[in-house]
């Protein structure tokens, strides 16, 4: 999106095989699934809007240039991080997870100003990924589940 101060609303599940660049405006997931396989660049004030039926997959390799920014009050059903080569995804806003936070590969960092809230009965699923709060906040508002599927090397 370029020079768009309005919202672009998904009407179908969408995969972006290249880079995602939003110079201004909002991408509304609208209860759909978006898969981003390249880099992410968000201009000042640009955001994602999502609800508890939306899913976001962040795939590919290496660190994302931009951080994830969501509209105030946004929730997401599933947020899946799968960035190979030690890639990092950063959250710089508040986001409620209603379903699953899946850390398949890579790092997920909550920056200052970022607040990740796990809703009741939601699940943090960890395989090869990791989660750090950096200077942000991780909240569990009620009982949530943690699944660790990784392995530990014994030397």
């Amino acid at each position: 999106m370029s020079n768009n101060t309005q919202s672009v609303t998904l009407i179908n599940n969408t995969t972006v095989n290249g880079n995602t660049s939003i110079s201004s405006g909002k991408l509304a997931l609208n209860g759909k699934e978006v898969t981003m396989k390249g880099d992410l660049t968000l201009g000042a004030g640009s955001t994602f809007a999502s609800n508890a039926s939306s899913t976001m997959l962040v795939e590919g390799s290496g660190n994302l240039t931009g951080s994830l920014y969501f509209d105030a009050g946004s929730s997401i059903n599933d947020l899946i991080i799968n960035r190979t080569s030690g890639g990092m995804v950063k959250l710089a806003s508040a986001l409620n997870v209603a379903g699953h936070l899946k850390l398949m590969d890579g790092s997920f960092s909550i920056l200052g100003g970022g607040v990740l809230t796990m809703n009741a009965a939601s699940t943090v699923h960890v395989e090869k990924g990791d989660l750090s709060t950096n200077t942000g906040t991780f909240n569990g508002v009620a009982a949530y589940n943690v699944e660790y599927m990784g392995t530990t090397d014994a030397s």
Side-chain angles (χ1 to χ4, degrees), residues 20-36:
T20 302
S21 179
I22 304 172
S23 58
S24 64
K26 179 185 312 185
L27 178 61
L29 303 185
N30 191 37
K32 304 299 181 207
E33 179 179 293
V34 64
T35 302
M36 297 181 293

Side-chain angles (χ1 to χ4, degrees), residues 50-56 68 70 73-81 91 93-103 108 110 115-125 131 138-145:
S50 63
N51 59 37
S53 298
S54 303
T55 296
M56 177 180 281
L68 299 177
F70 287 86
S74 284
S75 291
I76 199 158
N77 187 45
D78 293 328
L79 176 59
I80 302 166
I81 308 299
L91 176 67
S93 66
L95 181 64
N96 296 319
V97 176
H100 295 87
L101 170 62
K102 292 186 177 181
L103 304 171
F108 184 59
I110 306 168
V115 179
L116 183 70
T117 301
M118 300 303 295
N119 291 351
S122 61
T123 301
V124 177
H125 175 94
L131 171 69
F138 179 90
N139 289 326
V141 297
Y144 63 92
N145 304 297

Side-chain angles (χ1 to χ4, degrees), residues 1-144:
M1 294 183 338
S2 179
N3 297 318
N4 181 1
T5 57
Q6 307 268 317
S7 293
V8 172
T9 301
L10 297 182
I11 59 171
N12 291 307
N13 294 339
T14 302
T15 298
V16 180
N17 288 309
N19 296 331
T20 302
S21 179
I22 304 172
S23 58
S24 64
K26 179 185 312 185
L27 178 61
L29 303 185
N30 191 37
K32 304 299 181 207
E33 179 179 293
V34 64
T35 302
M36 297 181 293
K37 295 189 174 198
D39 198 7
L40 170 68
T41 305
L42 292 178
S46 298
T47 61
F48 293 98
S50 63
N51 59 37
S53 298
S54 303
T55 296
M56 177 180 281
L57 291 90
V58 184
E59 299 182 337
S61 64
N63 297 337
L64 289 185
T65 299
S67 299
L68 299 177
Y69 286 91
F70 287 86
D71 275 357
S74 284
S75 291
I76 199 158
N77 187 45
D78 293 328
L79 176 59
I80 302 166
I81 308 299
N82 193 14
R83 298 288 293 184
T84 60
S85 301
M88 180 176 288
V89 176
K90 299 170 279 190
L91 176 67
S93 66
L95 181 64
N96 296 319
V97 176
H100 295 87
L101 170 62
K102 292 186 177 181
L103 304 171
M104 309 306 287
D105 201 353
S107 297
F108 184 59
S109 178
I110 306 168
L111 302 180
V115 179
L116 183 70
T117 301
M118 300 303 295
N119 291 351
S122 61
T123 301
V124 177
H125 175 94
V126 181
E127 292 201 15
K128 290 172 50 181
D130 64 77
L131 171 69
S132 64
T133 54
N134 203 348
T135 56
T137 303
F138 179 90
N139 289 326
V141 297
Y144 63 92

